[in-house]
Amino acid sequence: MTRHDLVIRSSRVVLPGGERPAAVAVDGGRIAAVGGRGDRLEGTTEVDLGAVALLPGLVDTHVHINEPGRTEWEGFATATRAAAAGGVTTLVDMPLNSLPPTTEPRALEAKRDAARGQVHVDVGFWGGAVPGNVPSALRPLHEEGVFGFKCFTSDSGVPEFPPLPYERMREAFAEIASFGGLVIVHAEDPAALAEPGDGGYPAFLASRPPGAERRAVEQVVRLVEETGARAHILHLSSATCLEPLAEAQARGLPVTAETCPHYLTLAAEDVPAPHSTAFKCCPPIRDAANREELWRGLDGGVISCVVTDHSPCTPELKKGDFATAWGGVSSLQLGLSAVWTAASARGHGLAAVVRWMAEGPAALAGLDGRKGRIEAGADADLVAFDPDETFVVDPAGLRHRHPVTPYGGLALTGAVQTAWLRGQVVDLDGPPRGELLRRPATEKGEA
């Protein structure tokens, strides 16, 4: 009998075909075999999880790490510890709010230099599309292995990453389509946005109405139709966008969308008055009726991914009111538990959560051949997750750099017990073993 490096057994293993009792054998960092729970698979190390579920490691394609340049907001060491603690074993870093932003190859190399030796999970990088680098820097960044290109239709919040006006967006889409790349879009129409007024949450919410998202999404759909580019809508908060997205997808246009745990689990009615700015993000958390429509969009497949949009800053930048505070929700460590709490209450099982938080993001990034699923040949990125354990969120226990979160004090169900990266237990206080990833078509490895 072949002795494997590691064998993990559980009565609840979430496989591509659904959840069942199984044993997972690992050799050389890859999954070697998946058998029945009682199969005679022998491992140098054997783990029996009992009724604790075994999931594929989550893939979070929307994380702002901010290093270099704004490392006091968040850094690779702290962000990747938080990721692993929350069951995320692969993440893709956004091209802002670091300095310099990832809008040219030299800036990408600065990101990689900053990350080397610090990452506890595998990390890839998005590039940026801004007026100053369209189209000249897009193909070189693509050839250097970025996973795609982020652009804004409205103000990004940082001056070094300005939005693309419509004609420059069209130019970027056409160029990216020419080499088969992916555009990811922060979609809010600036003409529909307003000043947030008195600084309270109702005024902030009114300043970024649902129609601002819908108009920008419709613009993206037109650009996809005109140029043939693949596009992905980031952090969808308005359910009014589901109709144009569903229509585009029905016509076979390559446009997808994601939403985030805070849009699925929180609601405008939950925001304490008057200045609970941990809840501030753009686009905003909307009302409970809108939230339920987003769940229906997930259930129907119009939305294919749930990712965190972990966007931290220093506590000082979160002070003040909703007119002036930094917009961003920190939830990298809590996303799985938050989504599972809400999903299970609505009758969804673990297989659905894995589809949204592992399989879908892996497919978006082109990593579905090796990440986001438990099957032979995939990386042995695995998570032991107790779906029945409950806990109250204590911000002081979070691993990201600053303990600011709208989930503080909330009771959640489902807790990560252990994460394995390529078959090795992730030791949050030990040496980092993560790797830096390139887009699979040009994967060159990292020194």
Side-chain angles (χ1 to χ4, degrees):
M1 181 185 300
T2 301
R3 178 182 288 271
H4 300 283
D5 295 341
L6 170 68
V7 174
I8 305 175
R9 304 176 194 273
S10 169
S11 60
R12 302 185 68 179
V13 180
V14 181
L15 304 171
E19 181 184 325
R20 65 174 174 84
V24 178
V26 175
D27 285 312
R30 296 285 182 99
I31 296 173
V34 178
R37 195 189 196 294
D39 285 4
R40 295 185 62 200
L41 296 171
E42 194 171 300
T44 300
T45 301
E46 298 196 11
V47 177
D48 193 326
L49 297 177
V52 170
L54 185 67
L55 316 182
L58 303 190
V59 179
D60 192 339
T61 51
H62 197 147
V63 180
H64 294 266
I65 293 180
N66 308 328
E67 186 177 5
R70 290 190 175 100
T71 309
E72 70 275 13
W73 293 20
E74 184 70 280
F76 285 104
T78 49
T80 57
R81 283 192 188 100
V88 175
T89 53
T90 302
L91 62 83
V92 188
D93 174 57
M94 283 290 165
L96 73 163
N97 303 299
S98 55
L99 293 170
T102 316
T103 53
E104 60 178 13
R106 284 181 300 175
L108 174 63
E109 193 54 39
K111 275 274 194 184
R112 289 175 171 152
D113 286 344
R116 284 187 182 96
Q118 291 205 77
V119 295
H120 290 267
V121 303
D122 287 355
V123 175
F125 301 93
W126 296 109
V130 297
N133 79 339
V134 173
S136 60
L138 301 183
R139 187 180 292 270
L141 278 166
H142 177 78
E143 290 172 350
E144 284 299 316
V146 298
F147 284 80
F149 299 89
K150 181 174 186 176
C151 67
F152 280 76
T153 61
S154 58
D155 181 30
S156 72
V158 290
E160 67 275 3
F161 205 99
L164 284 175
Y166 183 78
E167 284 306 315
R168 300 308 298 275
M169 278 188 70
R170 192 186 190 287
E171 190 177 4
F173 273 56
E175 174 68 6
I176 293 165
S178 75
F179 51 74
L182 173 67
V183 192
I184 61 174
V185 185
H186 179 123
E188 290 182 286
D189 184 347
L193 303 179
E195 290 300 317
D198 66 9
Y201 193 74
F204 171 69
L205 183 60
S207 76
R208 306 187 89 97
E213 283 189 79
R214 176 156 180 158
R215 285 168 58 175
V217 165
E218 289 171 342
Q219 180 185 81
V220 170
V221 170
R222 285 195 299 272
L223 288 171
V224 169
E225 194 165 25
E226 291 172 11
T227 66
R230 292 185 297 128
H232 179 74
I233 303 298
L234 298 167
H235 45 47
L236 189 73
S237 87
S238 172
T240 64
C241 300
L242 296 173
E243 181 182 15
L245 284 169
E247 290 174 353
Q249 291 167 1
R251 288 190 288 132
L253 295 177
V255 58
T256 54
E258 69 187 36
T259 193
C260 304
H262 41 281
Y263 301 131
L264 295 170
T265 62
L266 305 174
E269 297 92 327
D270 301 329
V271 179
H275 300 312
S276 299
T277 55
F279 288 80
K280 181 180 177 180
C281 56
C282 300
I285 296 165
R286 304 191 188 276
D287 62 31
N290 177 87
R291 178 184 64 196
E292 298 313 308
E293 288 297 320
L294 292 178
W295 278 103
R296 281 186 275 276
L298 262 179
D299 197 33
V302 179
I303 302 170
S304 56
C305 304
V306 178
V307 291
T308 61
D309 187 12
H310 178 73
S311 185
C313 65
T314 61
E316 290 72 23
L317 289 174
K318 272 294 189 184
K319 291 177 179 176
D321 59 26
F322 282 93
T324 59
W326 176 259
V329 169
S330 297
S331 61
L332 189 52
Q333 187 171 333
L334 300 170
L336 174 57
S337 298
V339 171
W340 171 242
T341 300
S344 58
R346 289 165 175 80
H348 298 289
L350 285 172
V353 173
V354 164
R355 186 169 67 250
W356 301 326
M357 302 189 77
E359 294 174 7
L364 175 72
L367 291 169
D368 42 329
R370 56 180 290 199
K371 302 288 189 183
R373 58 184 60 223
I374 298 177
E375 64 180 11
D379 287 356
D381 300 345
L382 304 164
V383 172
F385 180 71
D386 186 341
D388 301 318
E389 182 178 340
T390 61
F391 65 99
V392 175
V393 177
D394 176 6
L398 299 178
R399 292 276 186 161
H400 60 258
R401 188 175 295 280
H402 300 292
V404 177
T405 176
Y407 292 99
L410 292 183
L412 299 179
T413 301
V416 172
Q417 293 189 345
T418 307
W420 292 264
L421 182 67
R422 286 182 300 281
Q424 298 291 318
V425 171
V426 180
D427 179 355
L428 300 180
D429 299 310
R433 293 194 178 95
E435 296 181 357
L436 305 186
L437 304 177
R438 296 174 183 258
R439 181 176 44 82
T442 59
E443 190 162 354
K444 301 174 185 176
E446 288 291 334

